Amino acid sequence: MAGRIRTAVLPVAGLGTRFLPATKAIPKEMLPVVDRPLIQYAVDEALAAGIENIVLVTGRNKAAIEDHFDRSPELDRVLESRGKERELEAVSRIVPEAGRISYTRQPDALGLGHAVWCARELVGNEPFAVLLADDLVLADVPCLKQMIEAAADTGGSIVAVEDVPREHTSRYGILDVGADDGRLVEVRGLVEKPDPADAPSTLSVIGRYVLMPEIFGHLGAMDRGAGGEIQLTDSMAKMIGHSPFHGLRFSGRRFDCGSKAGFLEANIAFALARDDMRDAATKLVRTYAAGAPPAAGSA
Ligand code: UTP
């Protein structure tokens, strides 16, 4: 049995260079899918999985994220006076209970592993989750909830995984796979962004992790990996063989919102999945696919 997983770390200190110029002054994690910023989906997923403490690892230019999860009395007053109750409810429910969200800073964007290491004092000596907001998952049961339930049986670390085309292995962390029951996979090794020819499998790690606190000791060595960055994958690889380590083929669909095509796809998929947006989104997609843009103002 793994200990209860109470804390989730959400690293949001990256530079978001693939989304420039949009991310020059706005954090990538504040880009909206339909009408909610990416970071809000990640926080909602963590809370829905039973997480009690959210730790955001921020950096310069990320103040908008802190403001998003804080009260906005002026806005509340205006919405109230205009009788916009639905909107008031929508902005009020974003704010977590006092004390449930903490912020720490990564002074330099030295890599994902380093960002997670920055949260060590706030996590303490217990298993914890990591969610990357730019990996958005559309699922009936939140992806992290599926993982925490699986971890209750397996113990140890769990990463959410999905199959990718072999020509894309150099974009992801890839598993070397042991026993595989079709849902849970024993992790024998992990390689960050291998060339397709060298990739030990096509099972890629997505931005959802349940990790043992021992990872902080490995991260603290500050070893540089792929791209000269301190990689989370490299420290996870050092845990293999010392405690159970599994990949979970989660049920749901993941969108890589760090890439433009993935972000666009997420907007379409999330709109199609929403009762209040489905009809409009279906009409737009059909009309554009038929090669004839709808009349101006018809959406
Ligand atoms: P990415 O690899 O997508 O990097 O980070 P990035 O800087 O955000 O974006 P690009 O590649 O330049 O376009 C994955 C996650 O890790 C966080 C990012 O904020 C993102 O949530 N991260 C990455 C950090 O917090 N610190 C880092 O040093 C690197």
Side-chain angles (χ1 to χ4, degrees), residues 11-19 28-29 57 62 106 108-112 115 132-134 229 258:
V12 293
L15 299 175
T17 55
R18 283 171 294 164
F19 254 103
K28 173 172 72 173
E29 297 79 9
V57 183
K62 303 285 179 169
Q106 184 189 28
D108 295 296
L110 299 179
L112 173 59
L132 306 189
D134 50 4
E229 295 195 347

Side-chain angles (χ1 to χ4, degrees), residues 121-178:
E121 297 296 339
L122 292 165
V123 171
N125 189 26
E126 56 183 53
F128 64 104
V130 175
L131 294 93
L132 306 189
D134 50 4
D135 265 345
L136 187 54
V137 182
L138 185 59
D140 292 336
V141 178
C143 182
L144 185 63
K145 187 160 194 269
Q146 297 177 40
M147 296 169 72
I148 289 178
E149 282 168 6
D153 294 331
T154 59
S157 306
I158 295 214
V159 288
V161 296
E162 68 176 9
D163 266 304
V164 294
R166 184 163 278 277
E167 62 268 27
H168 292 172
T169 57
S170 58
R171 300 180 191 172
Y172 304 104
I174 299 289
L175 299 193
D176 186 358
V177 173

Side-chain angles (χ1 to χ4, degrees), residues 33-58:
V33 167
V34 187
D35 56 5
R36 283 198 272 164
L38 289 169
I39 190 66
Q40 196 184 326
Y41 288 96
V43 167
D44 286 349
E45 180 180 331
L47 295 175
I51 292 292
E52 295 167 13
N53 307 315
I54 306 274
V55 177
L56 290 175
V57 183
T58 71

